[in-house]
Amino acid sequence: MPAPHPDSWTRITPEGLYCEPGGFHIDPARAVERAVISHGHSDHARPDHGAVLATPETLAIMTARLGEGRAGREQQALPYHQTLVQNGVRVTLVPAGHVLGSAQVVLEWRGSRLVVSGDYKRQPDPTCLPFEAVPCDVFVTEATFALPVFRHPPMRHEVQRLLDSVRLFPQRAHLVGCYALGKCQRLIAGLREAGYDRPLFLHGAQASMCRLYERRGIALGELLPVPRPEKRGATVLPGEIVLAPPSAEANPWARRLADPVTALASGWMRVRQRAKARGVELPLVISDHADWDDLLATCAEVEAPEVWVTHGREEALIHALAARGVRGRALHLIGREEDEGADPVPAEEEAAG
């Protein structure tokens, strides 16, 4: 008998993508009984599931961000490339290259293979394992930056722009907005690779994730909290680099910094109007998502005759794939955040700032 098509054993529910024979959701948008989680960002890792399957790193991140007891009443760690069988469905997690612990979810049932990418990127990142292409019958891809205008430069180029600005304005602090999970640690690693060995200063919301990365063996160098001025009205850290959540420049906390140059590390900084609207002085095009070329290259590499697109620029990618002989389908999943600056900071982390 021919292998069943994945659309015969998966379906979209209000909670998200559901594997019927396995009895579990993948990255559900609300609490469910059984969930497989691709990575720790809040639009994929929701609280209060009954049972959660994920990589050990993702489970640690979820517990750190959501708190004990809210990252799944039961947790099961599945390391990369090991396989678990759930009601006849083989589940394997392989690296996605997005953030620490991020995984593609490979599902196999009765000779049919579906790969759910989660979020992913193809650029080098010393803080997580690189994306691995898995041939499949259907590939489920994100489409955050699925327009030809989005072609991300090498990260070293953007890091050098930041360092050039620090040298040009030694009297000013540089306040760089970046995700607390993934982007912050990748940027730190990029600065270290570029030879920047000075201390880096962190908003409290960034510190806990950096400590978690370091406990997992990712060296980040000297990291310090932002000090308080010694005198009322004084400012601190001229000539230094401060990493903070993207919203921090609008927070009174930022007033302690010496005439800060505001920067934002995001793929959206390719769009000048976005940078201008946010008042970003130094836009850094640094993304943890695949750009247009890498999306198309990845879809070709997995050799799937059919691609399902989850969130972002679905229509543009489906149109481009059709021109290459690949069938496309928009899943229209709810609850996915496509703005790289929108991952909310947990309340306790914000207070720490």
Side-chain angles (χ1 to χ4, degrees):
M1 292 182 62
H5 191 281
D7 66 9
S8 71
W9 51 275
T10 62
R11 59 186 171 91
I12 303 301
T13 73
E15 292 77 20
L17 183 62
Y18 181 65
C19 175
E20 291 189 319
F24 56 81
H25 287 83
I26 301 170
D27 290 348
R30 62 184 74 168
V32 298
E33 189 57 35
R34 294 182 180 276
V36 179
I37 303 299
S38 66
H39 67 283
H41 279 142
S42 62
D43 59 335
H44 292 254
R46 305 287 184 170
D48 301 329
H49 300 307
V52 170
L53 177 76
T55 63
E57 296 84 358
T58 293
L59 290 177
I61 288 167
M62 289 180 66
T63 299
R65 304 193 98 199
L66 300 175
E68 291 289 344
R70 302 207 67 196
R73 292 192 301 275
E74 298 178 26
Q75 293 187 346
Q76 184 166 0
L78 186 64
Y80 291 129
H81 304 118
Q82 294 187 15
T83 296
L84 174 144
V85 179
Q86 172 70 20
N87 295 339
V89 179
R90 292 171 56 86
V91 182
T92 310
L93 303 180
V94 299
H98 181 56
V99 299
L100 181 67
S102 61
Q104 302 171 79
V105 182
V106 181
L107 304 179
E108 297 171 283
W109 189 65
R110 297 183 178 179
S112 177
R113 179 184 288 167
L114 172 73
V115 175
V116 183
S117 71
D119 289 340
Y120 66 99
K121 69 173 178 292
R122 304 304 303 269
Q123 286 197 2
D125 181 349
T127 69
C128 65
L129 293 178
F131 179 96
E132 295 180 13
V134 178
C136 54
D137 300 297
V138 171
F139 182 57
V140 182
T141 183
E142 61 146 312
T144 304
F145 292 109
L147 287 175
V149 68
F150 292 112
R151 290 182 164 93
H152 306 324
M155 181 172 158
R156 64 179 180 275
H157 177 271
E158 301 302 279
V159 167
Q160 192 57 55
R161 291 180 59 235
L162 173 59
L163 294 176
D164 289 345
S165 183
V166 171
R167 282 189 286 269
L168 186 62
F169 301 107
Q171 74 283 9
R172 303 178 68 184
H174 278 67
L175 176 60
V176 184
C178 53
Y179 258 175
L181 169 56
K183 186 73 63 64
C184 176
Q185 296 78 26
R186 183 183 177 210
L187 183 53
I188 291 171
L191 286 163
R192 300 311 187 198
E193 285 186 340
Y196 189 83
D197 57 5
R198 294 179 57 80
L200 291 164
F201 294 85
L202 303 180
H203 183 283
Q206 317 296 77
S208 63
M209 279 299 107
C210 287
R211 289 192 293 267
L212 188 150
Y213 268 62
E214 289 181 315
R215 289 195 298 270
R216 293 283 169 170
I218 309 298
L220 299 176
E222 187 175 7
L223 306 175
L224 298 174
V226 176
R228 294 184 180 276
E230 294 182 0
K231 297 180 180 179
R232 187 177 181 85
T235 57
V236 298
L237 302 181
E240 305 292 352
I241 298 174
V242 179
L243 305 180
S247 60
E249 72 274 4
N251 193 294
W253 170 89
R255 296 174 189 166
R256 69 179 74 172
L257 302 177
D259 188 20
V261 174
T262 58
L264 180 60
S266 169
W268 294 111
M269 292 298 95
R270 174 65 75 188
V271 182
R272 292 181 180 179
Q273 291 296 88
R274 287 224 180 190
K276 184 177 180 180
R278 296 189 65 153
V280 176
E281 191 171 349
L282 179 62
L284 301 173
V285 185
I286 300 173
S287 176
D288 285 335
H289 295 264
D291 66 4
W292 175 253
D293 291 332
D294 283 341
L295 287 167
L296 292 176
T298 300
C299 290
E301 199 172 347
V302 300
E303 301 177 336
E306 188 166 334
V307 173
W308 297 350
V309 186
T310 56
H311 59 288
R313 302 305 186 265
E314 298 168 335
E315 295 80 7
L317 183 57
I318 289 170
H319 178 77
L321 290 172
R324 292 160 173 79
V326 176
R327 295 188 301 275
R329 170 186 167 190
L331 295 187
H332 303 299
L333 295 180
I334 64 171
R336 292 288 180 265
E337 181 55 70
E338 63 180 69
D339 187 341
E340 287 195 303
D343 195 41
V345 177
E348 65 274 14
E349 295 183 6
E350 183 64 45

